[in-house]
Amino acid sequence: MLIGEQSWEFKRRPVILGTSSVVGPDEGKGPLGDQFDVVHEDTKIGQDSWEKAEKKMLEEAAELALKHANVPKEQLQFYVGGDLLNQIISNSFAVRTMQVPYLGIFGACSTSMEGLAIASMIVDSGFGERVMAGTCSHNCTAEKQFRYPTEYGSQKPPTAQYTVTGAGAAVLGLKGSGPVVTGATIGRVVDLGIKDPFNMGAAMAPAAVDTLTAHFRDFGREPGYYDLIVTGDLATVGYDIACDLLRERGVDMTQTVYQDCGKLIYDLKKQNVQAGGSGCGCSATVTYGPLMKRMKKGDLNRILVVATGALLSPLSFQQGESIPGIAHAVAIERGEVQNG
């Protein structure tokens, strides 16, 4: 049901029955490397192109999520997902293999939580009993599409971010055990006129703050309600900007632990990733891997994941457009057996 101005409260508390996280070699070398389900040692994963490798990762993530959820592929009713590539081809081609009714979405790097929110809405409303949300990204495909040919090896400024090579998926249902999705806040497009494609953090941070403040307003909550709040992929530059903007708005984030997936996934001192991680796979792999494991262990009871996206394309950049930002928030709680 609608709560406040732009949020949904899920009364039936859809259960996250199973999740999966599949990553590439750089992510496997980061501080969370041993908490992902699959770590590939080769960015091509045995495929003959990076685009096919990205699709392959998503297929693996979907298969693993179903296995962890103990849901046969034939019982999956809907799939919601998207990615960064033109016409969201990684998801479209992966779902071609899966042969399940498909809702393709695009929220740039915010796609993970956009998909989880929509999948939760489908389950909560009774329009589907077993729904998957998934997304993926690949460093080499994103660099090639949005910046320079990967083989060119161009230098990047410290504000640039490193697209995560990874895929994540979650299976939701009404019955079973696991963390539950209690609510979501759908973000607005926020554009402060940033035009530098090598400074995505600055472009996305205002949207993250806008969605966070909307979430607290709509649900009547303070940040301390959650054990952990993570933004998706602001990395060091965007994270610092977000902290400043939240302080200006009087939002006391010291009540909780506030972190960013783009800072968590890499060792920023040892790995050459500039400001940190980004990409659809950033918040997806961190949430569906390490964070879900922590919830199942009881280390975390309530988390808020705010995935952020930069809504640009090569065409819009070439035409001198600014970079709008978007952020979607999903509230997840540690749950017991739901609905019998």
Side-chain angles (χ1 to χ4, degrees), residues 106-275:
F106 179 80
C109 304
S110 72
T111 299
S112 63
M113 291 304 109
E114 180 183 0
L116 186 60
I118 294 172
S120 299
M121 180 176 63
I122 293 171
V123 172
D124 189 68
S125 65
F127 290 125
E129 295 181 1
R130 290 168 297 280
V131 183
M132 179 182 290
T135 189
C136 58
S137 58
H138 194 297
N139 182 270
C140 297
T141 64
E143 289 295 311
K144 183 166 67 174
Q145 177 169 292
F146 286 98
R147 298 182 181 94
Y148 300 102
T150 307
E151 298 86 349
Y152 182 62
S154 63
Q155 291 184 320
K156 301 176 181 64
T159 56
Q161 292 174 235
Y162 193 86
T163 303
V164 166
T165 298
V171 178
L172 288 91
L174 279 179
K175 298 179 180 180
S177 62
V180 296
V181 182
T182 60
T185 299
I186 306 305
R188 304 180 299 178
V189 175
V190 179
D191 189 346
L192 296 189
I194 301 296
K195 293 187 175 183
D196 183 0
F198 290 108
N199 194 0
M200 297 295 193
M204 295 186 288
V209 172
D210 189 74
T211 298
L212 274 167
T213 53
H215 181 83
F216 298 140
R217 177 201 67 215
D218 287 352
F219 284 94
R221 295 171 182 168
E222 293 288 328
Y225 179 84
Y226 297 101
D227 301 321
L228 173 68
I229 296 175
V230 290
T231 39
D233 26 36
L234 299 180
T236 56
V237 175
Y239 175 84
D240 290 343
I241 293 172
C243 288
D244 290 341
L245 292 174
L246 287 163
R247 278 193 293 268
E248 289 178 7
R249 295 195 181 196
V251 180
D252 184 10
M253 296 297 279
T254 63
Q255 296 177 9
T256 186
V257 177
Y258 171 39
Q259 296 177 329
D260 185 82
C261 297
K263 294 178 62 178
L264 293 172
I265 196 165
Y266 296 122
D267 187 328
L268 301 182
K269 294 182 179 179
K270 296 180 180 179
Q271 293 181 280
N272 185 23
V273 293
Q274 290 81 44

Side-chain angles (χ1 to χ4, degrees), residues 18-188:
T19 63
S20 66
S21 54
V22 179
V23 300
D26 291 326
E27 295 70 25
K29 294 173 184 175
L32 304 177
D34 62 348
Q35 299 175 52
F36 298 119
D37 295 309
V38 177
V39 177
H40 286 286
E41 298 181 358
D42 173 21
T43 56
K44 283 195 173 178
I45 315 177
Q47 306 299 301
D48 57 14
S49 74
W50 288 307
E51 287 77 13
K52 290 181 181 179
E54 183 173 333
K55 176 183 74 76
K56 180 68 174 177
M57 282 193 306
L58 185 58
E59 290 172 342
E60 290 179 342
E63 185 177 341
L64 264 178
L66 287 169
K67 180 180 178 181
H68 293 162
N70 196 28
V71 172
K73 182 173 65 174
E74 297 74 21
Q75 293 184 12
L76 186 65
Q77 295 170 317
F78 296 99
Y79 175 92
V80 184
D83 52 80
L84 293 175
L85 297 189
N86 289 338
Q87 287 76 51
I88 55 174
I89 57 171
S90 295
N91 275 257
S92 299
F93 286 15
V95 179
R96 176 184 64 183
T97 305
M98 294 166 60
Q99 283 296 292
V100 62
Y102 167 50
L103 290 170
I105 59 174
F106 179 80
C109 304
S110 72
T111 299
S112 63
M113 291 304 109
E114 180 183 0
L116 186 60
I118 294 172
S120 299
M121 180 176 63
I122 293 171
V123 172
D124 189 68
S125 65
F127 290 125
E129 295 181 1
R130 290 168 297 280
V131 183
M132 179 182 290
T135 189
C136 58
S137 58
H138 194 297
N139 182 270
C140 297
T141 64
E143 289 295 311
K144 183 166 67 174
Q145 177 169 292
F146 286 98
R147 298 182 181 94
Y148 300 102
T150 307
E151 298 86 349
Y152 182 62
S154 63
Q155 291 184 320
K156 301 176 181 64
T159 56
Q161 292 174 235
Y162 193 86
T163 303
V164 166
T165 298
V171 178
L172 288 91
L174 279 179
K175 298 179 180 180
S177 62
V180 296
V181 182
T182 60
T185 299
I186 306 305
R188 304 180 299 178

